[in-house]
Amino acid sequence: MRFKFPLMAIGLELAMIVLFGLFVQYETDQNILQQLNITKPTDMGGFLELYPLFQDVHVMIFVGFGFLMTFLKKYGFSSVGINLLIAALGLQWGTIAQGILHSHGQKINIGIKNMINADFSTATVLISFGAVLGKTSPVQMLIMTIIEIAVFAGNEYLVGEIFMASDIGASMTIHAFGAYFGLAVAGVLYRSGLRSGHENEESVYHSDLFAMIGTLFLWMFWPSFNSAIAEAGDKQYRAIVNTYFSLAACVITAYAFSSLVEHRGKLDMVHIQNATLAGGVAVGTCADMAIRPFGSMIIGSIAGILSVFGYKFLTPLFATKLRIHDTCGVHNLHGLPGMMGGLAGIVAVAMGASDTSTMAMQAAALGSSIGTAVVGGLITGLILKLPVWSQPSDQNCFDDSLYWEVPRWREHDNHVHGLGDHNQLEPEI
Amino acid sequence: MRFKFPLMAIGLELAMIVLFGLFVQYETDQNILQQLNITKPTDMGGFLELYPLFQDVHVMIFVGFGFLMTFLKKYGFSSVGINLLIAALGLQWGTIAQGILHSHGQKINIGIKNMINADFSTATVLISFGAVLGKTSPVQMLIMTIIEIAVFAGNEYLVGEIFMASDIGASMTIHAFGAYFGLAVAGVLYRSGLRSGHENEESVYHSDLFAMIGTLFLWMFWPSFNSAIAEAGDKQYRAIVNTYFSLAACVITAYAFSSLVEHRGKLDMVHIQNATLAGGVAVGTCADMAIRPFGSMIIGSIAGILSVFGYKFLTPLFATKLRIHDTCGVHNLHGLPGMMGGLAGIVAVAMGASDTSTMAMQAAALGSSIGTAVVGGLITGLILKLPVWSQPSDQNCFDDSLYWEVPRWREHDNHVHGLGDHNQLEPEI
Amino acid sequence: MRFKFPLMAIGLELAMIVLFGLFVQYETDQNILQQLNITKPTDMGGFLELYPLFQDVHVMIFVGFGFLMTFLKKYGFSSVGINLLIAALGLQWGTIAQGILHSHGQKINIGIKNMINADFSTATVLISFGAVLGKTSPVQMLIMTIIEIAVFAGNEYLVGEIFMASDIGASMTIHAFGAYFGLAVAGVLYRSGLRSGHENEESVYHSDLFAMIGTLFLWMFWPSFNSAIAEAGDKQYRAIVNTYFSLAACVITAYAFSSLVEHRGKLDMVHIQNATLAGGVAVGTCADMAIRPFGSMIIGSIAGILSVFGYKFLTPLFATKLRIHDTCGVHNLHGLPGMMGGLAGIVAVAMGASDTSTMAMQAAALGSSIGTAVVGGLITGLILKLPVWSQPSDQNCFDDSLYWEVPRWREHDNHVHGLGDHNQLEPEI
C-alpha cells in the first residue's frame, strides 16, 4: 500500500472539499427564509435539543462499532483504526449523497438531522466491514465506503420518499442492508485457503474485554439511535421507551440461550458481545409505533434467541456450505434481526400500530433494502476482487502488522518497529 | 449451571413480559388526561430535557459499575457480563416494583423518571454484587436481583412517601442500602476456606486500567446521578454543582491519604479506583440543599479520607473478625460514605438547608434503609446458601472459566476453548 | 514522596475550601437580582440546555486526556491517575482564578459556564503534562497546576476582555498556550541522560488500544468543546458544524500522510492517536465564524498533514537540537495546530467571517498566548527544577512503580506488592 492508499485518500478528501464547496451551506434563518419564502425564523434551539442524541449516535459509530470489532487478538489497531477512517470519510460522503437526493437540486443546508443521517450512513459500511474484517485492505475499504453509501442513499430515498415506509430505527435500510451488502462482498471475496480457519482468527482474554466497551456503548445508546430522527413528541418518546425495554429483554434471552446451546451450559463471549444487541436492531422499524412496552419486550426476546442460534448454527453453515465467511457474524447481529425488524414492522402495521404506513409499503421497503444490498454488494465485491488493491495474502489475514507499525507485544519479544517483517512477530499477549 | 440458569432466566423474562402486559403503558396525553381529569397536555419536551441525564446514569450503571469490577485478573468477563445481566433484569423488575407502589393500583405510565428510577433500582443490586463478587453463581445473582429490588422499592417508598425524607442522591436508599444488604449476604455466605486469601483475588496491570474506565465514567456522571430526579430549577442546579465540587475535593484527599497510609508513600490503585468516588455518595442526601459549594467540598474531603481508611483498616478487620469478606470493599465506597451522607443530611436539615424535611424524618430514613438492608440481606443470604444454586467451590472462586468459555490468555498457552477444564488454564496475562 | 505529596495536597485542598467559602456562591435568582437590581428571574433552564455539552467536555478532560496518555507500556496508572488528580485540583483552582478576574471583585456565582470554564482551565495543564509525562513527580504536577492555571487565567482575561479577540475553541488560549508552556518546562527540565532514549518510553499492543479510548472520546466530543461557551444560536451552531467537518477531513489526511512518511507505507499509531485530533484544535479560533463547511475541511486537512509532519520530523529535531524532550508530542497536536488556529482566525477575520473582531486583536491574542506561555513555563520549570520535589531519577522515568503500588504484570512474575523495589519488575505484558 505504499502509494495507492495515501493517494486515494488524498484524492477522496479533495473531492469531498470540492463537493462541499459546491453544494453545502449552513442552515441559517436567511437560507430557510429564501427557500420557503416565509418569515418565521427557524428554531435554532431545536439543534441543541437533538444534539445529545446526535452525540450518542456518534459514540455508537466511533467507539461502539470500533471497539466491538477489537475482539480479534491481533487485529485491534485495524478494527478501531479503519473503523475511524471509514466513518470519517463516510460521514462526509453521506452528507453529500443523502443531501443531494433529499434537497432536490437545492443547496444542502446542514442541520442536526443531516449530521445524524451522515453518521447513520456510515453505519451501513461499518456493518459490512464486520463481514470482511481481517481479509481486506484499507484501500478496499475506501472503495467500499464510496460505493456502499451511494447505494444506501438511493435505497433510503426509495424507502422513505417513494415507498413512504416507516423504518425509524433503520432495521431494514441500515442493518439488513449493511449485513447483506457485506455478506455479498464476503461471498465474492471468499478465500478457500482459509476454509479450515486461521490461527489469528480468535480472541485473547483482554481483547474480549476491549470488545465489551463497544458492546456496552452500542447497547446503552441504542434508544438514541432509534429515536434521533423520529417525529418530536409521542413518536420520539415511544422510540426511546420501546428500544430501552426491547434491549433489556434481549439481554436475558441472549444469556439464557448462550448457556443452553453450549453443551456444558457455559456462556460464550461472542454471544454476549453481539446477541445482546439484536433487540435494538429488531425493534428498529416499529420503534416509534404504539406496540406497547411488552410488545417491544417480545420482539427483543425473540431477537436475542434468533441471534444466538445464528451464531451457533448459521455462521458455520454459511462458511462451509455457502462459502461466505462472516468474520464478526454480522448476519446474526444485523442481518437476521434486521429482517425480523422489517417483518415486525409489517405485523405492527397490520395490527394498526401506525397510521402512516401500509403493509405493502413495508414489504416493498424490506425487499428493496435486501435486494439493493445484495446487488450492490456483489458488484462491489467484483470490483474489490481486482488484484490491484493491496489485498492481504491468506497467511497475512487478521494481522495488524501488515498495514500498521506494531509495537512489541510484551517485554521480552523482539521489537518489530522498523524491522519491516511482520512475520517475525511473536504475538504473546 | 447446565439448565438451572437458562430456565430461570427464561422464566423470569416471561414473567416480566406478562407483568408489563398487565401493568405498564405509555405516558401519553390521553392517559394523563383520563387519570387527572384535566385538559392541560403533558409536556413531552420535558422527556428530552432529562434524557441526557438519564443516559449519564445509564452509562454509570452499565459501563461504570461493570468496568469498576474488572480489576480482578481472571474475573473480567463475569464482572462486566453479569453486571449487564443483573442490570437488564433489574431495570424491568424495578419498573414494576417501584411503579406499582407509586401508582397506587393504577397502571404504570412510563416516563423518563420511571426509566431513571429503574436504572437506580439496579444500582442497589450492583453494589451488593460487589460484596459477593467472585464467590457466587449467575443463578444466585438472578435471585438476589429479584429479592433486593423488591425490598429496595419497599424501603424507598417508606423513606420518600411515609417519612417524607430528603435523599435526592440516594446516599441512604441506594448506597447504604446496597452496601449493607450485600455485606449481610456476604456474611451469611462466608467461606472459611478462603480465610487466608485466594490466588485469583488480585489484579494485573491491565485489569487495573480497565477498572479505571469504570471509575472515571462513574466520577464524571455522578452529578447527573444526584440531580436526575431532583425538582427542576434551583434544587436540580444545586445537586449538580454540589456533587461536582464534592467529587473534586474528594479526589485530592483520597490521593493524599492513599499515600499517607502506605508506609513508603506510594499510591494504591484500589483507593484511586474507589475512594475518589466517595464524595459523590456522601453528598447525595443533601445534594439539592443549600449547603454552599464549600460545604459540599468539606463533605467530599471527609468522605475521601473515610473511604481510604476503610480500605486500609476496616476491610481486613471485617474479613478476620466479623467473617464478612467484601470483595470490592463496597462498605468503604458505598456503606460508610452512604451512612455519612445520611448524617450530613441530618446536619444540613438542622442548619436550615432544607425547608421540606426534619431531622427526625432524616434519621428515620437512615435507620430504615440500614435496617431493611440488613434484614433483607440476611434472608437473601440464607436463601442463596441452599446448596442448589450452582455455587462455585472455594477453589473455583474469582475465575471466569467456571461459567464462561474463556479464550487462551496469550499465544503459547494451551487453548482452553472446548477443553472443559478451567483448571488447565495457565492464566499468564 | 513520603510526606511532601500528601501534605501539599491536603494544604491545597484546605486552601480551596477557604477560598470557596470566601468567594463562591450559588447562581440563584436572589443573587442575580441583588446584583443587577432587576426583577426578571434567571433562566435556570439554560443550565440544563448546556449541561450535555459540559458533560462532553468533562469526558474529554478525564477520559480523553487521561487515556490518550496511557500509550506508554509502564506508565498507564500515572497517565490516567495523575491526569485525574491534576484535573480535580485544577477545576477548583480554575473556578477561583477565572472567577475572580471576571467577577471584578464581586462574589463568584457558579453557573454552567463557570463549570465549563473550570474544566477548560484544567486542559492547559493536562496538555503541558503531556510534554513532561514520565519525567516528573506528582508533587511537581501539583505545583505546575497552581502556577499554570493562574497564568492561563491572566492571559485568557487579556485575550477576551482587553484585546476582545475571538477564540471560541481556544486554539490560542488553551492549545497553543498549554503546549508552549509545557515545552518551556520540558526544556528547563531537560535530562541529557535520556538523550539516547529510555527502554520504557514505548508502547505495547494493548497500551496503544487503551490510548485509542482517549483519542476517540476527544475526537467525538470536540464539537462540544469548541461550542460550549459560544453565543447561543447561529454561532454555537456553526461551532459544532465546523468542528465536525474539520475533524472528519483531518482524519483522512492524517491517515494518508502517516502512510506516506513511513518508508513502507504503514500506518503509525502515534499519528492516528494524535494527528487525527489536530483538526479540532486548528478550527478552534474561527469555529463560530462563517467560514463555511468546506473552509473548515480545508483547515482540518492541513492540520492533519502538519501534525503528522511534526511527529515525523520536528519531535526528533526538538529532542536533539533544542534539547526539548516532548513525551506525547504536544507540540504536534496542540502547539502547531493551535498556532495555525490563531493564524486561521486572522485570515478568517480578514475575509470578513467575523463582525466582532479585527486582525490586530487576533494577532495580539496569539502573541500574548505564546508569550505568556513561554515566560510562565520557563519560570515554572526553574521552580520545578529545585531538587526538593521528589523528581524521578533518569533510570526510574516512565515507570509507574516509583509512585504506585503496581501489581504483577502476569501470573508467573514475582509479585511486587509490598516488595518496595520496582526494579524487580519483569514487565512482560
Side-chain angles (χ1 to χ4, degrees):
Chain A
M1 71 175 208
R2 187 68 195 91
F3 290 111
K4 277 176 200 158
F5 171 73
L7 295 184
M8 184 179 290
I10 294 166
L12 286 170
E13 187 52 45
L14 285 175
M16 292 303 144
I17 292 174
V18 171
L19 288 169
F20 268 68
L22 293 174
F23 295 117
V24 177
Q25 63 186 14
Y26 296 123
E27 181 179 66
T28 60
D29 292 357
Q30 212 184 344
N31 294 338
I32 305 288
L33 295 183
Q34 284 174 347
Q35 283 170 41
L36 302 183
N37 200 21
I38 53 166
T39 52
K40 179 172 158 289
T42 52
D43 179 19
M44 277 316 196
F47 192 95
L48 271 196
E49 193 176 49
L50 287 182
Y51 183 67
L53 281 80
F54 158 72
Q55 277 294 5
D56 291 351
V57 172
H58 215 37
V59 172
M60 293 174 74
I61 297 296
F62 290 88
V63 167
F65 281 110
F67 273 95
L68 184 62
M69 295 187 280
T70 57
F71 71 100
L72 290 170
K73 68 182 177 186
K74 293 171 68 179
Y75 211 62
F77 288 11
S78 299
S79 296
V80 77
I82 305 304
N83 187 86
L84 170 60
L85 176 71
I86 290 173
L89 175 63
L91 70 86
Q92 298 177 65
W93 174 229
T95 301
I96 297 288
Q98 288 200 277
I100 282 179
L101 282 171
H102 286 278
S103 68
H104 304 288
Q106 302 285 326
K107 289 262 186 174
I108 303 163
N109 298 308
I110 297 295
I112 189 71
K113 294 213 173 175
N114 300 63
M115 288 167 64
I116 294 168
N117 276 314
D119 268 32
F120 278 174
S121 66
T122 71
T124 56
V125 192
L126 299 177
I127 291 166
S128 305
F129 180 41
V132 298
L133 190 76
K135 303 168 292 186
T136 49
S137 69
V139 172
Q140 289 177 303
M141 289 304 97
L142 292 179
I143 298 169
M144 189 169 89
T145 302
I146 298 300
I147 303 177
E148 182 165 0
I149 286 180
V151 181
F152 158 76
N155 178 61
E156 193 269 341
Y157 182 79
L158 201 64
V159 165
E161 305 281 323
I162 309 298
F163 299 152
M164 312 275 282
S166 280
D167 192 26
I168 196 64
S171 305
M172 300 183 284
T173 52
I174 292 179
H175 295 288
F177 179 92
Y180 290 103
F181 192 103
L183 291 170
V185 173
V188 176
L189 298 184
Y190 183 73
R191 293 162 178 267
S192 44
L194 300 184
R195 202 181 319 116
S196 51
H198 190 294
E199 56 167 346
N200 290 341
E201 199 189 353
E202 59 179 23
S203 64
V204 288
Y205 193 68
H206 280 174
S207 69
D208 270 328
L209 277 178
F210 278 114
M212 281 303 290
I213 298 173
T215 298
L216 290 179
F217 278 103
L218 286 169
W219 194 91
M220 295 182 300
F221 291 159
W222 214 294
S224 302
F225 189 95
N226 281 357
S227 68
I229 56 169
E231 194 180 300
D234 272 6
K235 288 196 172 186
Q236 191 164 37
Y237 154 78
R238 284 197 300 253
I240 290 172
V241 170
N242 287 333
T243 309
Y244 178 65
F245 287 115
S246 174
L247 282 163
C250 177
V251 166
I252 311 300
T253 57
Y255 272 76
F257 281 82
S258 178
S259 169
L260 264 187
V261 300
E262 207 268 338
H263 72 96
R264 289 155 309 156
K266 292 191 183 186
L267 298 165
D268 187 327
M269 255 295 174
V270 173
H271 304 157
I272 303 313
Q273 285 159 1
N274 293 280
T276 52
L277 301 167
V281 176
V283 84
T285 296
C286 58
D288 62 346
M289 300 182 192
I291 56 172
R292 299 199 44 201
F294 89 95
S296 66
M297 288 158 71
I298 293 173
I299 292 174
S301 298
I302 297 173
I305 298 168
L306 204 65
S307 186
V308 168
F309 278 133
Y311 276 101
K312 185 72 183 176
F313 304 111
L314 284 187
T315 295
L317 209 69
F318 271 44
T320 52
K321 303 290 176 195
L322 298 185
R323 299 170 63 90
I324 298 174
H325 177 272
D326 177 4
T327 311
C328 295
V330 300
H331 186 246
N332 315 306
L333 170 49
H334 301 281
L336 276 181
M339 199 144 51
M340 181 191 154
L343 296 174
I346 295 175
V347 173
V349 168
M351 294 172 70
S354 167
D355 50 9
T356 58
S357 187
T358 68
M359 289 172 68
M361 293 171 180
Q362 297 298 120
L366 182 56
S368 156
S369 296
I370 295 177
T372 53
V374 170
V375 173
L378 289 174
I379 295 168
T380 306
L382 290 171
I383 294 171
L384 298 187
K385 204 165 185 162
L386 299 176
V388 294
W389 307 124
S390 318
Q391 291 94 324
S393 68
D394 286 359
Q395 197 200 332
N396 289 334
C397 281
F398 313 110
D399 190 338
D400 277 334
S401 60
L402 189 57
Y403 301 115
W404 295 81
E405 305 248 6
V406 174
R408 70 177 81 186
W409 296 78
R410 57 188 192 92
E411 187 73 359
H412 295 304
D413 294 334
N414 293 322
H415 201 297
V416 299
H417 251 301
L419 289 184
D421 185 350
H422 63 279
N423 291 323
Q424 294 190 8
L425 264 184
E426 279 289 314
E428 303 213 7
I429 203 161
Chain B
M1 72 175 204
R2 189 64 195 92
F3 290 110
K4 276 175 200 159
F5 170 73
L7 294 184
M8 184 179 289
I10 294 167
L12 286 170
E13 187 53 44
L14 285 175
M16 292 302 144
I17 291 174
V18 170
L19 288 169
F20 268 68
L22 292 175
F23 296 117
V24 178
Q25 64 186 13
Y26 296 123
E27 181 179 65
T28 60
D29 292 357
Q30 211 183 344
N31 294 338
I32 305 288
L33 295 183
Q34 284 174 345
Q35 282 168 42
L36 302 183
N37 200 22
I38 53 166
T39 52
K40 180 173 158 289
T42 52
D43 179 18
M44 277 316 195
F47 193 95
L48 273 196
E49 192 176 52
L50 287 182
Y51 183 67
L53 282 81
F54 159 72
Q55 277 295 5
D56 291 351
V57 172
H58 216 39
V59 172
M60 293 174 74
I61 297 296
F62 290 89
V63 168
F65 281 109
F67 273 95
L68 183 62
M69 295 187 280
T70 57
F71 71 99
L72 290 170
K73 66 182 178 186
K74 292 172 68 179
Y75 210 63
F77 288 11
S78 299
S79 296
V80 77
I82 305 303
N83 186 87
L84 170 60
L85 176 70
I86 291 173
L89 174 63
L91 70 85
Q92 297 178 64
W93 173 230
T95 302
I96 297 288
Q98 288 200 278
I100 282 180
L101 282 171
H102 286 278
S103 68
H104 303 290
Q106 302 284 327
K107 290 261 185 175
I108 303 164
N109 298 308
I110 298 294
I112 189 72
K113 294 212 173 175
N114 300 64
M115 289 167 63
I116 294 168
N117 275 316
D119 268 32
F120 278 174
S121 66
T122 71
T124 57
V125 192
L126 299 177
I127 291 167
S128 305
F129 181 42
V132 298
L133 190 76
K135 302 168 292 187
T136 49
S137 69
V139 172
Q140 289 177 304
M141 289 304 96
L142 292 179
I143 298 169
M144 189 169 89
T145 302
I146 298 300
I147 304 177
E148 181 165 0
I149 286 181
V151 181
F152 159 77
N155 178 60
E156 193 269 341
Y157 182 79
L158 200 66
V159 166
E161 305 282 322
I162 309 298
F163 299 151
M164 312 276 280
S166 280
D167 192 25
I168 196 65
S171 306
M172 300 183 284
T173 53
I174 292 179
H175 295 288
F177 179 91
Y180 289 104
F181 192 103
L183 291 170
V185 173
V188 177
L189 299 183
Y190 183 72
R191 295 162 178 267
S192 43
L194 299 183
R195 202 182 318 116
S196 51
H198 189 294
E199 57 167 344
N200 290 341
E201 200 190 353
E202 59 179 23
S203 63
V204 288
Y205 192 69
H206 280 175
S207 70
D208 270 329
L209 277 179
F210 278 114
M212 281 303 290
I213 298 172
T215 298
L216 290 179
F217 278 102
L218 286 169
W219 194 91
M220 294 182 300
F221 291 159
W222 215 294
S224 302
F225 190 95
N226 281 357
S227 68
I229 56 169
E231 193 181 299
D234 273 7
K235 287 195 172 185
Q236 191 164 38
Y237 153 78
R238 284 197 301 253
I240 291 171
V241 170
N242 288 332
T243 309
Y244 179 65
F245 287 116
S246 174
L247 282 164
C250 176
V251 167
I252 310 300
T253 58
Y255 271 77
F257 280 81
S258 178
S259 169
L260 263 187
V261 299
E262 207 268 338
H263 71 97
R264 289 153 309 155
K266 292 191 183 185
L267 297 165
D268 188 327
M269 254 296 172
V270 173
H271 305 156
I272 303 312
Q273 285 159 1
N274 293 280
T276 52
L277 300 167
V281 176
V283 84
T285 297
C286 57
D288 63 344
M289 300 182 192
I291 55 172
R292 299 197 46 198
F294 89 96
S296 66
M297 288 158 71
I298 292 174
I299 292 173
S301 298
I302 296 173
I305 299 168
L306 205 64
S307 185
V308 169
F309 278 134
Y311 276 101
K312 186 71 183 178
F313 303 111
L314 284 187
T315 295
L317 209 70
F318 270 45
T320 53
K321 303 289 177 196
L322 299 185
R323 300 170 63 91
I324 297 174
H325 178 272
D326 178 4
T327 310
C328 295
V330 300
H331 186 245
N332 315 304
L333 170 48
H334 302 280
L336 275 182
M339 198 143 53
M340 181 190 153
L343 296 173
I346 295 174
V347 173
V349 168
M351 294 171 70
S354 168
D355 49 10
T356 58
S357 187
T358 67
M359 290 173 68
M361 293 170 181
Q362 297 298 120
L366 182 55
S368 156
S369 297
I370 295 176
T372 53
V374 170
V375 173
L378 289 174
I379 294 169
T380 305
L382 290 172
I383 294 171
L384 298 188
K385 203 164 185 163
L386 299 176
V388 295
W389 308 124
S390 318
Q391 292 95 324
S393 68
D394 286 359
Q395 198 200 332
N396 289 334
C397 281
F398 313 109
D399 191 339
D400 277 334
S401 59
L402 188 58
Y403 302 116
W404 296 81
E405 306 249 5
V406 174
R408 69 177 82 186
W409 296 77
R410 59 188 191 91
E411 187 72 2
H412 295 304
D413 294 335
N414 294 321
H415 201 295
V416 299
H417 251 301
L419 288 183
D421 187 349
H422 63 283
N423 290 322
Q424 294 188 9
L425 262 183
E426 278 290 313
E428 302 214 6
I429 203 161
Chain C
M1 72 175 205
R2 189 64 196 94
F3 290 111
K4 276 176 201 158
F5 170 74
L7 294 184
M8 185 179 289
I10 293 166
L12 286 170
E13 186 53 44
L14 285 175
M16 291 304 144
I17 291 175
V18 171
L19 288 170
F20 268 67
L22 293 174
F23 296 116
V24 177
Q25 63 186 15
Y26 295 123
E27 182 179 66
T28 60
D29 291 357
Q30 212 184 346
N31 294 337
I32 306 287
L33 295 183
Q34 283 174 347
Q35 283 169 41
L36 302 183
N37 201 21
I38 53 165
T39 52
K40 178 172 159 289
T42 52
D43 179 18
M44 277 317 195
F47 193 95
L48 271 196
E49 192 176 51
L50 287 182
Y51 183 67
L53 282 80
F54 159 72
Q55 277 295 5
D56 292 351
V57 172
H58 215 39
V59 172
M60 294 174 73
I61 297 295
F62 290 88
V63 167
F65 281 110
F67 273 94
L68 183 62
M69 295 187 281
T70 58
F71 71 99
L72 290 170
K73 67 181 177 186
K74 292 172 68 178
Y75 211 63
F77 288 12
S78 300
S79 295
V80 78
I82 305 303
N83 187 86
L84 170 59
L85 176 69
I86 290 173
L89 175 63
L91 70 85
Q92 297 178 65
W93 173 230
T95 301
I96 297 288
Q98 286 199 279
I100 282 179
L101 283 170
H102 286 278
S103 68
H104 304 289
Q106 302 285 327
K107 290 263 185 172
I108 303 163
N109 297 309
I110 297 295
I112 189 72
K113 295 214 172 174
N114 299 63
M115 288 167 64
I116 294 168
N117 275 315
D119 268 32
F120 278 175
S121 67
T122 72
T124 56
V125 192
L126 300 177
I127 292 167
S128 305
F129 180 42
V132 298
L133 190 75
K135 303 168 293 187
T136 49
S137 69
V139 172
Q140 289 177 304
M141 288 305 96
L142 292 179
I143 299 169
M144 190 169 89
T145 302
I146 298 299
I147 303 177
E148 181 164 0
I149 286 181
V151 181
F152 159 76
N155 178 60
E156 193 268 342
Y157 182 79
L158 200 66
V159 165
E161 304 281 322
I162 309 298
F163 298 152
M164 312 276 281
S166 281
D167 192 25
I168 196 64
S171 306
M172 299 183 284
T173 54
I174 292 179
H175 294 288
F177 179 92
Y180 289 103
F181 192 103
L183 291 169
V185 173
V188 176
L189 300 182
Y190 183 73
R191 293 162 179 266
S192 43
L194 300 184
R195 201 182 317 117
S196 50
H198 189 295
E199 57 166 344
N200 290 341
E201 200 190 353
E202 59 179 23
S203 63
V204 288
Y205 193 68
H206 280 175
S207 69
D208 270 328
L209 277 178
F210 278 114
M212 281 303 290
I213 298 173
T215 299
L216 289 179
F217 277 102
L218 287 169
W219 195 91
M220 295 181 300
F221 290 160
W222 214 294
S224 302
F225 190 95
N226 282 357
S227 68
I229 57 169
E231 193 181 300
D234 272 6
K235 287 196 172 186
Q236 191 165 36
Y237 154 77
R238 284 198 300 253
I240 291 171
V241 170
N242 287 334
T243 309
Y244 179 65
F245 287 115
S246 174
L247 282 163
C250 177
V251 166
I252 312 300
T253 57
Y255 272 77
F257 281 81
S258 177
S259 169
L260 263 188
V261 300
E262 206 268 338
H263 72 97
R264 290 154 308 154
K266 292 191 184 187
L267 298 164
D268 188 327
M269 255 297 173
V270 172
H271 304 156
I272 303 312
Q273 284 159 1
N274 293 279
T276 52
L277 300 167
V281 176
V283 84
T285 296
C286 57
D288 62 345
M289 300 182 191
I291 56 172
R292 300 198 44 200
F294 89 96
S296 66
M297 288 158 72
I298 293 174
I299 292 174
S301 299
I302 297 173
I305 299 169
L306 204 65
S307 185
V308 169
F309 278 133
Y311 276 100
K312 185 72 183 178
F313 304 111
L314 284 187
T315 295
L317 209 70
F318 271 45
T320 52
K321 302 291 175 194
L322 299 185
R323 299 170 64 90
I324 298 175
H325 177 272
D326 177 4
T327 310
C328 295
V330 301
H331 186 246
N332 314 305
L333 170 48
H334 301 280
L336 275 182
M339 200 144 53
M340 182 191 153
L343 296 173
I346 296 175
V347 172
V349 168
M351 294 172 70
S354 167
D355 49 10
T356 58
S357 186
T358 68
M359 289 172 68
M361 292 170 181
Q362 296 299 120
L366 182 55
S368 156
S369 297
I370 295 176
T372 53
V374 170
V375 173
L378 290 174
I379 294 169
T380 305
L382 291 171
I383 294 170
L384 298 188
K385 203 163 185 165
L386 298 176
V388 294
W389 307 126
S390 319
Q391 292 93 326
S393 68
D394 286 358
Q395 197 201 330
N396 289 334
C397 281
F398 313 109
D399 190 338
D400 277 334
S401 59
L402 189 58
Y403 301 115
W404 296 82
E405 306 249 6
V406 174
R408 70 178 79 185
W409 296 78
R410 58 187 191 94
E411 188 72 0
H412 295 305
D413 293 336
N414 294 321
H415 202 296
V416 299
H417 250 302
L419 288 184
D421 186 350
H422 63 281
N423 290 323
Q424 295 188 7
L425 264 184
E426 278 290 314
E428 302 214 7
I429 204 160

